Amino acid sequence: MLYDVLIIGGGIVGGAIARELSRYELRIALCEKEVEVGFGATKANSGIIHGGHHAAPDTLKGRLEWAGNQLWDELAAELGFGFERIGELTVALYDEQTPVLDRLLHHAAVKGIPGVELWTPERIQQEEPALSHDIIAAVYAPTTGVVNPYEACYALAENAAQNGVDILTGFPVLRLHWNGELWEVMTPGARLASRFVINAAGLYADQVAAMAGVGNFAIHPRKGQEYLLDKRLRGLVKRVIFPCPSPVSKGILIIPTYDGTLMVGPTAEDTTDREDRSTSAEGARTVFDAVRRLAPGINEKDIIAQFAGLRASADGEDFIIGPTARRGFINAAGIQSPGLTAAPAIARMIVEILQAENLPMTLRNDFVGRAPHPVHFAALSTQEQIALTLRHPRYRRIVCRCETVTEGEVIDAIERGASTLDGIKFRTRAGMGRCQGGFCTIRCMELLSRLRRLPMTALTKRGADSWLVCERQEAVNGDERAPGIEVGDA
Amino acid sequence: MITSNPRHLRGSYDVVVVGAGPAGLEAAVAAQDAGADHILVVDRETEAGGILVQCIHSGFGLHRFGQELTGPEYAQRVLTQVVKRNIDVVTDAFVLDVDRERRVKLMTQEEGVSLIDAQAIVLAMGARERTRAAIHIPGTRPAGIFTAGMAQRLVNLYGLLPGRRAVLLGSGDIGLIMARRLTLEGVEVVGVFELMPYANGLNRNIVQCLHDFDIPLHLSTTVVEIHGRDRVEKVTVAPVDANLRPQMERAWDVPCDTLLISIGLIPENELSEQLRLRIDPMTNGPVVTSTMECSRNGVFACGNVVHIHDLVDFVSAEAMLAGRSAGRYVAGAAPPADNVRLLPGENVAYCVPHTISTEREHTIYMRTRRPLEACSLRLTDLGGKVIYEKKLRYVFPAEMVNLKLRPAVLHHFHNGALRVDVAPRADG
Ligand SMILES: Cc1cc2nc3c(=O)[nH]c(=O)nc-3n(C[C@H](O)[C@H](O)[C@H](O)COP(=O)(O)OP(=O)(O)OC[C@H]3O[C@@H](n4cnc5c(N)ncnc54)[C@H](O)[C@@H]3O)c2cc1C
C-alpha cells in the first residue's frame, strides 16, 4: 500500500494529526501497535485542557498550549465528545510562592489570555469553600477546561477514518527504511510505503526516530498516578485546583473530571520502564498528603479507582516537533504535558511543516467535519430518554448500572470500533463507576462475543495477553461442551 | 424461573418493589396479604430470583422452609407464591430514579423509559461486592481480577472459568464457596488471605470449603501488590501487625493468573441516596423503623439493601415485615410510630431496626465488632439500669446476632433510648 503520509502512533497527537490531514487530498494511514487507538498516555492522564498560561511563552510547549487551548470548543462541537471550560485556580500556600503566581499572570499577559486574574482568600473561600483556609492567594483562569481524552481520541480517529484515513490498529512499526524515494514501513503483517512518516509514537518516539536513523534524543518516562474518587464528592470542588508548580511537575491537582467525579493526582516519578503503569502505596500517600493541604475534606476512603500513566518527556523538557535530517521523516515527539491540550495545534503545525516540505496539499471538497454524536443516555433529560427509547429499542436495557449506560450505547461503541473491554469502557464509561465492572463486565463480554462473533474465551481486556476467561476442563477435554459459551449466538 | 409477566404496565401502583430477589418477592406477597391491590416488582436481571439464582450450592432455607435447599430452589419457592397471585413482575427492567413524590422512572424492554406513580415503595436492591479499590491494592491493572460473585456467575451461569491458578483475597462466604467450586472445576486455588486474625465467613464454610479441600487459610495476611501487564502474573502478600499494617520485610510473592476478591458486600444504595434517605454509616444502608420504613414516608426497605445478612432466611423474615408494612401504609392502617431508639454500645457495630416500639414484638438484628466467648447481650437505659439481659455462648462478626424482644420486656420502660451492648458477663 502506498501512502502520502503515514502516522506512527494512535494517541491524541496521532489522532489529531490524522483528522487534520484528512481535510486534504492525501492518502493517509495511521499505524497503532495496540489493538485500539488511545491506549497510551492518552487514556491515562488528567484530562485537563490547560488554561494557556502555564508554560513559558518562549517555549514550543508554551506556544502550543495556548494555541491548542483555543481549538477545543470547535472540535468538541463538531465531534461531540465531552468538553467544558470549568476554569482553574493555581493556589499559593506560602509567601514564597507568590512569585510563581506573578509569573503565571505575566505569561497570560504576554500571550493575551483573557480573564486571568488574582483572587484574594475571601474570594477563594466564597467560590470554593472546600479549599483550605491556609491558601493565601490564587490565580484564576476561566480558559481551563476538562475533556474525556480517550473520547476525544476515538472521535478524532473515527472522523479521520470517515474521511478516508486507514486506521491500522494492531500494527506495530518494527523497522523503517528509506529506499531513495519512499519510506518502507515494516509491520509484522504488512509492508507499507509512504512519502512522509510522522513520528507520534509517544513513549517510543525515540526508538522510532532511531529506526529512521535520527535517534538523537531520548524519551524519559515519567509516571503519574491518579486516583478517582466516589461520586459522593461530586461538586465539592468546581474548578481544577493546581498548587504552585515545581520545575518538573505541575504538582498534585484536584480535578473535577468532565463527568463530574473528582480525581486527584498525578505524581511525577521518573522511571526507566516504559510499560510500568503500576500504582503504589507511596504514590497514594504522596497524592493524598498533598491534596489534604489544598482541600482537607478529601481522603483515601473515597478512592474508587486508581491508575498510572507515563509522560513521554524528552531531553530538554520541551516538545520536539519538526523535520529531521532524514528527508520525509517528521517528529512529533516528547509530547509530555500539556500534550493533550496542545494536540490540535500540533496537528496544524504538522500541516504547515508538510507544506513547507513541498507536499502538495489541496483541500478536499468532500471532507465531512461533523461526526454523528454518540448517544449518551445518562446525559439526556427524562423527556429525551423517553423519546429515544420509544424510537430505538436498543437503548432499553441498562448494561452498566453505576453510570447508567444502555445496551445500545455499548453496541454503538462496538460498531464504532471497540474490540476489547477497555475499548468499551473508555467509549461508554461502562465499568468506570463504583462497582468497577462487577455488574457490567459479563454483559459487555456477551455483547462483544455476539457482535464480533468470537467465543468469550477469545475476548480480552485490552488486547495482547489480557485474556478474560478460559474454558472448563470438561470443555477442554472435549466430552462436554459447557453450555452458554457462545451466549446469544444461539 | 420467570421473566416479565404483565402485558401492560399500569400508570400507577399501590406498591412498587425494586428488586426481585428473595427480599423483593417476599415483600410483594406480604404487601398483597396486607391489603395492597396493585403491586409491581422490578428487576434488572432477565430472571427473577436475585443473587440466589447463581448460588447453586445448598445451605438455604433451614429456618424459612425447615429444609436445606439450593439457592435456585429457595428462589423458586418464593417465586411460586408470587406467580400464583396477581402481582406484576417485570424483569430486564431498571428503576432509574425515584423522586420525593414516589414517582418511579422506569426502563423496560416493553416500553422504554416511562413514569409510574407509587403509593409506597419497597427498596430491595440487595448488595454489591466491594472491589479492589475499596482497599486500594496498589500495582498494575491487568485482566484476571474478579470479585468472587462475578467468578461465581461466570462458572455457574456461563460455564466458564476465571483462570487456572487463583488466589483469594478475603474470607467472605461467597469467596469460600468459590474456593471449593473452583477446586472442583480443576482450578488450582493457591490460598485464601484474610487481613483479620479471624475468618470473615461462616464457620461451616471454612470447614466444608477450605479444610475439606486442603486450601490454606492465611489469617492476618493481605495482598499488598498486584503484578502483570496484560494478565495477572503474581501477587505480593504480607502479614500484618496488630494495627493491620503490612510488614513488608516479611512479604512474599505468589504466582497466579487470577485474583478473586471477597472482602464483603455493601448495600446497593444508589436509589437510597437519590431519595436522600438517612443512611447509617455503619451498615451503609438506610436507617429504618421497626416497620422497615425509611426516613421518608411510604418508602420501605428490606434485605441486603438495609444491612448485609448471612442467611437468606432472615432476609425473608425482614422482607415480610417490610411488605406487610407497605401494604398497611397503603391501606391507611400504619401502626403508631416507634418510641424507643436503639443505640449500638460496646462491641455492637449496628442494630436493625434503628428504632422500636414498646407496644409490639420485634426481632432485632445486630453485628458485633469482634469475637467474644461467654458474653451477654444487654439492653440498658440511659440511666444505666439494665432492662434486659441474655447470655450468649459466643459471638462472631461473621454471624449476625438476633434478638426476639417481647413487649412484656419493655413494659415499664418509657425512656426514649436503649443502649445495646455485647460484653463479657458480669459474673465472669
Ligand atoms: C498522568 C498524566 C497526566 C497528564 N495530564 C495532562 C493534562 O491534564 N493535560 C494535558 O494537556 N496533558 C496531560 N498529560 C500529557 C498527555 O497525556 C500527553 O501529552 C498526550 O496524551 C500525548 O499523546 P501522544 O499521542 O503523543 O501519546 P500516546 O497517547 O502515548 O500515543 C502514542 C501511541 O503510539 C503508539 N506507538 C508507539 N510505538 C509504536 C510503534 N512502533 N508502532 C506503532 N505504534 C506505536 C503507542 O501504542 C501509543 O498508542 C498527562 C500525562 C500523564 C501521563
Side-chain angles (χ1 to χ4, degrees):
Chain A
M1 196 55 110
L2 177 66
Y3 295 102
D4 295 310
V5 182
L6 183 143
I7 302 155
I8 303 178
I12 191 75
V13 172
I17 295 171
R19 197 263 183 171
E20 193 59 36
L21 291 179
S22 73
R23 297 176 188 274
Y24 301 90
E25 307 266 3
L26 298 170
R27 286 157 303 171
I28 306 163
L30 182 150
C31 288
E32 167 54 54
K33 69 177 166 67
E34 302 293 329
V35 283
E36 296 196 33
V37 298
F39 278 8
T42 296
K43 92 167 172 185
N45 60 58
S46 307
I48 302 165
I49 300 308
H50 287 260
H53 58 316
H54 282 281
D58 55 352
T59 60
L60 193 51
K61 265 198 316 200
R63 268 174 39 217
L64 293 174
E65 178 199 1
W66 175 227
N69 173 295
Q70 298 167 79
L71 297 173
W72 280 91
D73 305 85
E74 191 188 327
L75 270 186
E78 286 180 340
L79 302 178
F81 55 81
F83 166 65
E84 197 183 343
R85 291 190 190 269
I86 62 172
E88 71 156 77
L89 289 176
T90 302
V91 302
L93 288 160
Y94 323 101
D95 284 335
E96 300 76 70
Q97 291 181 325
T98 50
V100 176
L101 299 188
D102 293 339
R103 201 171 67 225
L104 292 179
L105 290 168
H106 176 70
H107 290 172
V110 173
K111 297 187 198 177
I113 303 168
V116 179
E117 59 189 30
L118 195 67
W119 279 10
T120 60
E122 295 71 39
R123 179 81 193 271
I124 298 165
Q125 281 304 319
Q126 185 190 332
E127 303 274 355
E128 295 284 0
L131 291 189
S132 162
H133 288 272
D134 295 339
I135 294 170
I136 55 170
V139 166
Y140 167 70
T143 41
T144 299
V146 283
V147 66
N148 280 335
Y150 29 85
E151 258 185 36
C153 183
Y154 293 134
L156 287 164
E158 280 165 29
N159 187 233
Q162 207 185 331
N163 287 299
V165 175
D166 288 341
I167 304 286
L168 307 172
T169 52
F171 270 67
V173 173
L174 304 177
R175 271 180 309 120
L176 292 170
H177 172 69
W178 175 253
N179 68 11
E181 237 177 278
L182 293 167
W183 282 101
E184 289 174 9
V185 179
M186 265 65 80
T187 71
R191 175 188 292 245
L192 310 164
S194 179
R195 296 167 69 187
F196 285 87
V197 167
I198 297 177
N199 175 13
L203 283 170
Y204 294 90
D206 52 351
Q207 294 178 5
V208 169
M211 290 177 205
V214 283
N216 52 2
F217 63 91
I219 294 290
H220 309 286
R222 189 175 297 137
K223 191 197 281 186
Q225 302 185 28
E226 309 256 18
Y227 293 82
L228 208 59
L229 307 179
D230 194 275
K231 60 183 172 194
R232 199 178 68 75
L233 294 181
R234 256 171 211 227
L236 185 76
V237 169
K238 294 181 267 316
R239 299 167 184 78
V240 181
I241 310 299
F242 287 75
C244 280
S246 77
V248 287
S249 152
K250 300 201 174 60
I252 308 286
L253 327 178
I254 306 171
I255 308 147
T257 62
Y258 177 76
D259 302 294
T261 30
L262 287 191
M263 186 162 82
V264 292
T267 55
E269 308 158 56
D270 288 317
T271 144
T272 48
D273 184 347
R274 298 177 202 233
E275 293 297 322
D276 173 16
R277 295 186 176 81
S278 61
T279 55
S280 64
E282 302 90 84
R285 250 192 316 276
T286 309
V287 167
F288 284 90
D289 285 351
V291 162
R292 257 190 296 276
R293 261 175 272 148
L294 303 180
I298 296 180
N299 75 56
E300 290 90 331
K301 286 209 177 63
D302 286 302
I303 300 176
I304 60 159
Q306 51 200 0
F307 62 85
L310 294 167
R311 308 171 183 85
S313 58
D315 315 310
E317 299 289 337
D318 205 352
F319 297 164
I320 300 174
I321 303 174
T324 61
R326 299 300 305 270
R327 203 198 129 96
F329 185 84
I330 297 166
N331 277 324
I335 312 297
Q336 56 160 298
S337 189
L340 172 66
T341 310
I346 295 174
R348 294 207 171 175
M349 191 171 161
I350 294 291
V351 169
E352 286 164 21
I353 292 168
L354 287 171
Q355 277 164 340
E357 295 285 301
N358 296 321
L359 177 67
M361 309 269 285
T362 337
L363 280 170
R364 295 167 48 158
N365 47 24
D366 58 351
F367 172 75
V368 181
R370 247 173 208 284
H373 298 185
V375 168
H376 184 18
F377 180 82
L380 301 177
S381 71
T382 300
Q383 286 316 313
E384 289 168 332
Q385 290 175 340
I386 292 173
L388 174 76
T389 53
L390 198 66
R391 264 182 292 128
H392 304 289
R394 69 153 66 168
Y395 300 103
R396 287 184 187 170
R397 177 178 289 133
I398 299 294
V399 168
C400 165
R401 56 97 200 277
C402 301
E403 303 292 326
T404 23
V405 179
T406 60
E407 185 169 290
E409 290 164 270
V410 175
I411 295 173
D412 293 346
I414 296 170
E415 288 176 354
R416 272 160 41 214
S419 62
T420 61
L421 267 191
D422 276 4
I424 291 179
K425 170 165 146 184
F426 288 105
R427 281 179 177 85
T428 64
R429 300 192 53 74
M432 281 196 188
R434 290 180 165 178
C435 89
Q436 288 289 298
F439 182 75
C440 67
T441 298
I442 300 179
R443 285 172 169 75
C444 290
M445 288 170 65
E446 286 188 79
L447 290 167
L448 264 178
S449 162
R450 193 174 84 206
L451 295 164
R452 297 241 165 229
R453 302 190 169 282
L454 290 168
M456 300 274 262
T457 48
L459 304 176
T460 66
K461 179 169 160 65
R462 62 173 92 91
D465 203 25
S466 62
W467 55 278
L468 291 159
V469 294
C470 51
E471 287 192 24
R472 293 175 65 197
Q473 308 290 347
E474 292 148 39
V476 176
N477 296 340
D479 41 274
E480 181 209 322
R481 211 177 156 75
I485 287 186
E486 271 122 354
V487 186
D489 249 357
Chain B
M1 289 285 151
I2 63 158
T3 53
S4 304
N5 64 9
R7 237 165 290 141
H8 242 326
L9 291 180
R10 306 171 54 89
S12 70
Y13 281 89
D14 293 341
V15 181
V16 170
V17 180
V18 189
L25 296 172
E26 299 267 24
V29 170
Q32 197 168 61
D33 286 345
D37 285 330
H38 301 294
I39 301 171
L40 173 68
V41 186
V42 184
D43 201 283
R44 62 193 186 194
E45 300 289 343
T46 36
E47 280 180 13
I51 201 72
L52 288 179
V53 174
Q54 67 183 60
C55 300
I56 61 169
H57 55 283
S58 64
F60 303 91
L62 276 172
H63 299 259
R64 168 86 169 91
F65 297 109
Q67 202 179 343
E68 197 168 347
L69 305 172
T70 63
E73 283 169 342
Y74 191 108
Q76 190 59 51
R77 290 220 181 174
V78 183
L79 254 173
T80 308
Q81 301 183 51
V82 171
V83 175
K84 275 197 251 158
R85 292 157 191 258
N86 186 18
I87 291 175
D88 284 353
V89 179
V90 50
T91 56
D92 219 342
F94 197 93
V95 172
L96 291 161
D97 194 16
V98 180
D99 72 12
R100 287 157 201 214
E101 276 71 55
R102 293 190 294 278
R103 175 167 266 224
V104 178
K105 183 166 145 192
L106 181 67
M107 168 90 103
T108 61
Q109 288 301 300
E110 293 75 16
E111 303 181 7
V113 175
S114 56
L115 296 169
I116 284 174
D117 288 309
Q119 286 193 58
I121 304 273
V122 178
L123 302 176
M125 295 87 78
R128 65 187 141 95
E129 294 179 277
R130 284 184 197 273
T131 64
R132 161 191 186 180
I135 43 172
H136 329 144
I137 314 172
T140 53
R141 293 166 63 82
I145 305 171
F146 301 87
T147 59
M150 213 172 128
Q152 186 178 47
R153 207 177 157 80
L154 277 172
V155 178
N156 293 348
L157 300 186
Y158 293 83
L160 292 167
L161 298 181
R164 299 189 185 90
R165 192 178 149 91
V167 160
L168 225 118
L169 172 61
S171 54
D173 287 311
I174 315 174
L176 299 176
I177 301 276
M178 280 316 289
R180 174 176 64 187
R181 184 84 182 91
L182 290 174
T183 305
L184 291 171
E185 287 286 341
V187 177
E188 190 185 346
V189 179
V190 200
V192 177
F193 297 88
E194 169 58 55
L195 176 73
M196 303 306 284
Y198 47 84
N200 222 326
L202 296 175
N203 195 45
R204 69 167 196 223
N205 285 335
I206 303 283
V207 174
Q208 295 171 8
C209 301
L210 299 187
H211 296 181
D212 290 359
F213 291 86
D214 291 327
I215 299 170
L217 169 62
H218 305 265
L219 297 174
S220 295
T221 313
T222 191
V223 172
V224 291
E225 192 172 353
I226 298 169
H227 307 266
R229 181 190 119 108
D230 293 330
R231 177 80 195 190
V232 175
E233 285 163 16
K234 62 178 182 185
V235 295
T236 306
V237 297
V240 297
D241 63 18
N243 299 317
L244 305 182
R245 265 194 306 263
Q247 298 170 275
M248 295 308 289
E249 59 298 342
R250 291 175 57 203
W252 77 96
D253 286 348
V254 184
C256 57
D257 62 20
T258 304
L259 175 63
L260 293 191
I261 298 186
S262 177
I263 50 174
L265 300 170
I266 177 166
E268 186 72 275
N269 47 20
E270 231 94 45
L271 285 177
S272 315
E273 280 175 5
Q274 277 170 31
L275 273 162
R276 293 184 178 278
L277 301 180
R278 258 188 70 205
I279 302 285
D280 178 339
M282 281 313 298
T283 58
N284 279 301
V287 169
V288 289
T289 68
S290 66
T291 58
M292 300 310 289
E293 192 168 18
C294 306
S295 60
R296 204 169 276 284
N297 286 347
V299 178
F300 300 81
C302 53
N304 276 357
V305 85
V306 181
H307 61 129
I308 305 304
H309 296 248
D310 31 60
L311 294 179
V312 64
D313 306 289
F314 297 132
V315 168
S316 281
E318 195 177 275
M320 289 178 211
L321 171 61
R324 192 161 62 238
S325 306
R328 288 195 184 146
Y329 174 88
V330 169
D338 292 340
N339 54 358
V340 179
R341 223 148 52 87
L342 295 178
L343 308 172
E346 188 179 334
N347 198 18
V348 175
Y350 70 79
C351 300
V352 166
H354 296 76
T355 58
I356 56 173
S357 156
T358 48
E359 308 298 316
R360 294 188 297 274
E361 182 175 307
H362 302 287
T363 303
I364 299 167
Y365 300 104
M366 63 194 84
R367 276 207 194 262
T368 55
R369 291 178 186 274
R370 36 172 210 285
L372 209 57
E373 280 179 33
C375 48
S376 77
L377 190 164
R378 282 193 285 271
L379 301 184
T380 314
D381 72 9
L382 294 184
K385 185 162 151 247
V386 176
I387 303 286
Y388 175 85
E389 176 157 12
K390 180 185 173 185
K391 289 189 176 159
L392 301 172
R393 263 201 304 138
Y394 62 87
V395 292
F396 254 110
E399 286 178 35
M400 203 160 74
V401 176
N402 52 33
L403 169 68
K404 229 188 194 106
L405 208 56
R406 295 184 203 294
V409 173
L410 300 176
H411 201 62
H412 299 295
F413 174 75
H414 299 289
N415 218 348
L418 280 175
R419 206 183 68 220
V420 186
D421 302 301
V422 175
R425 283 178 205 160
D427 52 23

